[in-house]
Amino acid sequence: METTDLVSGVAVFEWLNLKMLLILLLGFLLVYYLIQARTPSQLPPGLSFWSQCGYFFTRDKNLLHFKMVVKTYGNICRVNMFWVKVIILSGFQTIQEALIQHSKEFAGRPNMRINDFLTKGQGIISAPYGKSWKQQRRFTVTIFRNFGLGKIAFEVKIQEEARYLTETLKSKFEGQLVDPKPLITAAVSNVICSIVLGQRFHHDDKTFTRLIKLFDEALQLSSGFWIKACVVLPAIYYLPGPHQRIFENRAAIEAILQDFIRQHRETRNGENIRDFIDAYLLEMEKKQEADSFMLDGNLLCNIYDLFLAGTETTTTTLRWGLLYMMAYPDIQERCQKEIDEVIGRSRAPCLEDRARMPFVNAVIHEIQRCGNVLPLSVVHTTTQDTRFMGYTIKKDTLVLLNLWSVLTEERQWKHPHQFNPENFLNDSGEFFKPDAFIPFSMGPRACLGEKLAKMELFLFFTSLLQQLEFGWPDKTSPPNLEGMYQIVWAPHPYKVEVKCREH
């Protein structure tokens, strides 16, 4: 009886503690709101305090929240995640001015505890603007160029994966329904693996499939509730709970990548550079000076960043491509007609064909525009106090680049709100690219893999349509072209009906 009373007393005490904590939190938020309301600000206009709290607790998959904010407050506005201020920049001219005229001021990355826990400020994607980031980016660009980016060496790797993907669909899934995501992911990932790790993997390889699964999970965790909670309340990192899966996932990926690095150290052969890891290890030996950032931690984070960025964006764009081809079979047929006329069926597509295929090129760009896989880009921050468009933005303020607004801006496009390749064709039917086509962003933080992504999209897309037809299996309803937001803007899961093209 006494034990039961003791347990009940503890439960009541814990409940009272929780209640008191909630009261204190609400009190703090109210005081913060009153202080903010009374404090003169040179920040852009934005949502009310309570609307901002509501945003924190929702996963807005359709970007309606940001569309509403931009429509209400204009091309430079503000939202808050509680006490974390976020500036949203929209429209081509606004974003261009920020990233080109004020490139250094807007080139930062969030200085948050969550980044310290995950990356320790290393790598390329999340690294702060500074000497380390500049050295990593410059080295990576140089190595990619030395390995033949944009030339035959890279082209052959992509052609090999495109051929394997096409043959797999033909031999195993012809006449069937198939979810194309796993196959496309494996094919695109193998391109990065051959460059970074020096090998390609069979699609059923256990290490390879586990790595892909972990990266897919990392993407979902990066857009979930708990990552926001870690941003707002860094102290919860030290507490048990569902948010620990974020750090467990990162550790599992890094353990696999560390094993590849160890294997490279054991099998290196002098100046024989097999891949990115070999090149980096050699550079580490050469650069022994104290101010060099060619370090083990940067190598690990660089591999992580290259694998994630090099796989997910291209895979998602190709998934959008197949979905749009099923939604617009007339466009699919016209692409195949141009492929037959320029390439035929007997040889693989090559990059030299692109210049003679304006319609296919326009369709690929239109898929990127409408698919828009990074609608808010990667989060930027200001590197110093910045005077921009009449407002004062403090150092380390988070900045979201609303690329969606640029890619659908009515002044920039013939058909801004519909899928239409005419957006990239002039009156003579020739391909042209408007200045507002910036899915890879611009400025010093623009995607360094842009050239590789363009090669992959053309070769994979043309190879698939050259040999196969893709049909929507449900004849009673059209494909769902509404996406879902998981850091990348991705189509909902779907299955496709695969048929070999008749000769």
Side-chain angles (χ1 to χ4, degrees):
M1 186 67 177
E2 292 179 358
T3 303
T4 304
D5 291 342
L6 179 61
V7 171
S8 299
V10 171
V12 170
F13 180 75
E14 289 179 348
W15 182 84
L16 288 173
N17 274 349
L18 177 61
K19 185 177 180 180
M20 183 61 68
L21 180 63
L22 291 173
I23 291 172
L24 289 173
L25 179 60
L26 289 173
F28 174 81
L29 292 174
L30 182 60
V31 170
Y32 173 79
Y33 167 64
L34 293 173
I35 292 173
Q36 289 291 99
R38 291 174 177 270
T39 304
S41 175
Q42 290 184 297
L43 285 172
L47 292 178
S48 70
F49 174 78
W50 300 112
S51 297
Q52 294 162 9
C53 289
Y55 160 69
F56 177 79
F57 288 108
T58 60
R59 278 184 73 176
D60 195 341
K61 296 181 179 180
N62 294 313
L63 296 181
L64 293 176
H65 180 84
F66 290 101
K67 293 179 183 180
M68 181 271 290
V69 173
V70 173
K71 185 176 181 180
T72 305
Y73 296 102
N75 284 342
I76 176 169
C77 53
R78 182 190 78 252
V79 297
N80 283 23
M81 289 201 308
F82 290 112
W83 45 83
V84 180
K85 293 182 177 65
V86 183
I87 303 299
I88 304 175
L89 302 183
S90 304
F92 178 59
Q93 291 183 344
T94 303
I95 291 177
Q96 184 183 49
E97 182 174 341
L99 299 186
I100 303 301
Q101 279 77 35
H102 297 268
S103 59
K104 181 180 178 181
E105 294 99 307
F106 286 94
R109 285 289 191 253
N111 180 22
M112 294 180 174
R113 290 291 291 160
I114 184 70
N115 283 344
D116 294 337
F117 294 141
L118 293 174
T119 70
K120 300 177 178 62
Q122 297 174 313
I124 301 172
I125 295 178
S126 300
Y129 183 77
K131 291 182 179 179
S132 177
W133 170 78
K134 290 178 181 178
Q135 188 177 37
Q136 306 310 308
R137 184 181 174 98
R138 183 167 55 248
F139 174 79
T140 302
V141 170
T142 300
I143 291 302
F144 273 40
R145 187 184 302 118
N146 292 345
F147 283 170
L149 180 58
K151 301 177 183 177
I152 295 296
F154 267 53
E155 184 175 359
V156 170
K157 296 179 189 295
I158 302 169
Q159 286 173 327
E160 179 183 4
E161 297 304 329
R163 181 169 58 253
Y164 188 88
L165 173 61
T166 303
E167 290 301 322
T168 300
L169 287 168
K170 287 173 67 174
S171 61
K172 294 185 178 181
F173 300 102
E174 201 274 331
Q176 301 181 36
L177 302 184
V178 59
D179 177 1
K181 181 181 177 180
L183 295 170
I184 295 175
T185 301
V188 175
S189 294
N190 257 329
V191 175
I192 288 295
C193 286
S194 64
I195 298 165
V196 176
L197 307 179
Q199 60 179 304
R200 72 174 303 277
F201 296 89
H202 191 276
H203 289 192
D204 296 328
D205 182 272
K206 290 184 178 180
T207 301
F208 184 56
T209 54
R210 183 164 183 264
L211 196 58
I212 289 174
K213 183 178 179 180
L214 285 168
F215 270 109
D216 188 59
E217 182 186 46
L219 201 70
Q220 296 180 38
L221 291 169
S222 297
S223 62
F225 168 83
W226 287 108
I227 196 76
K228 295 177 184 177
C230 289
V231 168
V232 173
L233 298 170
I236 71 170
Y237 167 75
Y238 300 101
L239 302 175
H243 59 284
Q244 290 295 335
R245 184 57 196 158
I246 298 169
F247 309 104
E248 293 167 2
N249 170 274
R250 179 86 185 199
I253 293 174
E254 289 186 349
I256 297 174
L257 299 182
Q258 287 281 24
D259 192 49
F260 283 114
I261 295 173
R262 178 188 58 77
Q263 293 173 26
H264 276 69
R265 280 198 165 102
E266 293 174 353
T267 59
R268 281 180 60 207
N269 182 18
E271 298 286 329
N272 180 27
I273 306 302
R274 298 167 294 183
D275 48 45
F276 178 85
I277 296 179
D278 272 358
Y280 201 99
L281 292 174
L282 179 62
E283 192 71 10
M284 286 174 63
E285 291 180 356
K286 291 180 179 178
K287 291 187 176 293
Q288 299 292 337
E289 59 267 26
D291 62 344
S292 173
F293 295 94
M294 305 301 287
L295 307 169
D296 289 331
N298 267 322
L299 171 58
L300 180 62
C301 287
N302 287 348
I303 299 171
Y304 184 103
D305 289 348
L306 290 171
F307 196 96
L308 180 63
T311 297
E312 192 58 41
T313 53
T314 301
T315 295
T316 304
T317 303
L318 288 170
R319 290 175 60 215
W320 276 117
L322 295 186
L323 194 60
Y324 278 115
M325 292 304 95
M326 292 186 291
Y328 299 95
D330 55 323
I331 293 179
Q332 180 178 183
E333 184 178 346
R334 186 172 169 187
C335 283
Q336 290 168 329
K337 181 180 179 181
E338 187 173 72
I339 291 170
D340 290 346
E341 291 173 351
V342 175
I343 304 173
R345 308 280 186 91
S346 59
R347 69 169 177 86
C350 63
L351 292 176
E352 289 183 354
D353 299 321
R354 185 163 48 187
R356 296 181 293 152
M357 301 173 67
F359 187 76
V360 169
N361 204 9
V363 168
I364 292 171
H365 282 73
E366 184 68 351
I367 291 167
Q368 290 179 270
R369 187 187 74 86
C370 292
N372 188 13
V373 298
L374 287 173
L376 300 176
S377 188
V378 179
V379 181
H380 286 234
T381 61
T382 45
T383 58
Q384 61 191 55
D385 291 355
T386 303
R387 188 70 180 169
F388 181 71
M389 297 184 72
Y391 300 103
T392 299
I393 304 174
K394 294 292 185 181
K395 180 183 177 182
D396 292 329
T397 299
L398 270 63
V399 179
L400 291 179
L401 305 176
N402 187 0
L403 301 185
W404 162 83
S405 68
V406 179
L407 296 174
T408 58
E409 194 168 359
E410 293 185 355
R411 290 180 297 176
Q412 304 292 340
W413 305 96
K414 301 176 189 175
H415 311 280
H417 304 299
Q418 67 182 78
F419 183 86
N420 193 327
E422 295 294 328
N423 283 308
F424 295 92
L425 296 171
N426 63 19
D427 294 337
S428 302
E430 299 168 329
F431 174 81
F432 81 100
K433 185 174 69 175
D435 293 337
F437 182 73
I438 55 169
F440 299 99
S441 192
M442 58 173 65
R445 285 284 189 171
C447 175
L448 63 81
E450 178 177 353
K451 184 175 289 187
L452 174 60
K454 289 179 177 178
M455 294 173 64
E456 289 178 310
L457 290 175
F458 178 78
L459 293 173
F460 275 115
F461 185 77
T462 52
S463 296
L464 289 169
L465 292 192
Q466 180 190 42
Q467 302 294 333
L468 302 167
E469 292 180 6
F470 299 94
W472 182 245
D474 185 358
K475 307 305 179 185
T476 62
S477 61
N480 179 10
L481 297 178
E482 293 293 327
M484 57 181 184
Y485 187 55
Q486 294 179 334
I487 299 299
V488 297
W489 184 246
H492 290 274
Y494 66 84
K495 290 190 175 182
V496 58
E497 185 177 12
V498 179
K499 294 182 179 179
C500 292
R501 293 186 63 202
E502 297 180 0
H503 288 277

